[in-house]
Amino acid sequence: MTVSERAHELAIAAAQAAADKKAQDIVIIDVGDQLAITDAFLLAAAPNERQVLAIVDAIEERLLDLPEKAKPVRREGERGGRWVLLDYVDIVVHVQHTEEREFYALDRLWKDCPTIPFVDRDLVDAEAGGSTSTAE
């Protein structure tokens, strides 16, 4: 794993914020060996534009609440709400409409890169609470 501690912290916090807003297909990809400009990509999807924007807002809020605040140096795609990119230098967040996620398939494009494990804490809490449903 080539991601810095800071990139890992940002990626996990952003992924949890996305999960809290019901993002789908959340994946963190370690691209540090392939790209010099960032350590990791966070990919997340949502079925409609409103939810894409809600996920983006939640990620920005969560990363601003960290002890060492993080603000994106660049934000693109917000107007259409189909694919929003947040560049935090250490990580780049891609929140896509489900159709864009399937069409552009960034996970397949970066399939040779390792992923960073992420488990939604709500799923862990549900399993610890004796829930009979499985997340797999």
Side-chain angles (χ1 to χ4, degrees):
M1 184 160 60
T2 59
V3 298
S4 67
E5 282 185 41
R6 178 66 172 164
H8 189 267
E9 174 190 24
L10 292 175
I12 296 297
Q16 187 59 58
D20 291 347
K21 288 294 181 182
K22 308 297 184 224
Q24 303 165 345
D25 301 323
I26 300 169
V27 177
I28 304 169
I29 303 173
D30 177 349
V31 295
D33 284 342
Q34 304 296 321
L35 291 175
I37 59 171
T38 192
D39 287 346
F41 282 164
L42 169 65
L43 310 177
N48 60 62
E49 291 84 354
R50 176 176 263 163
Q51 190 173 2
V52 166
L53 297 175
I55 292 165
V56 168
D57 289 344
I59 290 170
E60 285 190 301
E61 288 174 23
R62 180 74 48 91
L63 297 187
L64 278 173
D65 285 343
L66 291 175
E68 192 176 325
K69 296 178 191 283
K71 289 179 75 171
V73 295
R74 193 173 80 207
R75 182 179 178 149
E76 295 184 12
E78 183 179 18
R79 187 170 304 172
R82 303 282 299 180
W83 181 348
V84 179
L85 179 143
L86 299 173
D87 184 351
Y88 286 92
V89 180
D90 293 315
I91 68 168
V92 175
V93 176
H94 299 267
V95 183
Q96 300 172 296
H97 190 284
T98 305
E99 293 169 1
E100 272 72 5
R101 178 74 185 268
E102 291 170 6
F103 182 79
Y104 290 101
L106 294 178
D107 350 40
R108 283 194 308 247
L109 181 64
W110 297 98
K111 69 180 181 217
D112 293 337
C113 296
T115 58
I116 297 170
F118 166 72
V119 178
D120 181 357
R121 71 168 172 250
D122 290 344
L123 295 178
V124 173
D125 292 346
E127 289 175 8
S131 174
T132 57
S133 66
T134 58
E136 299 182 46

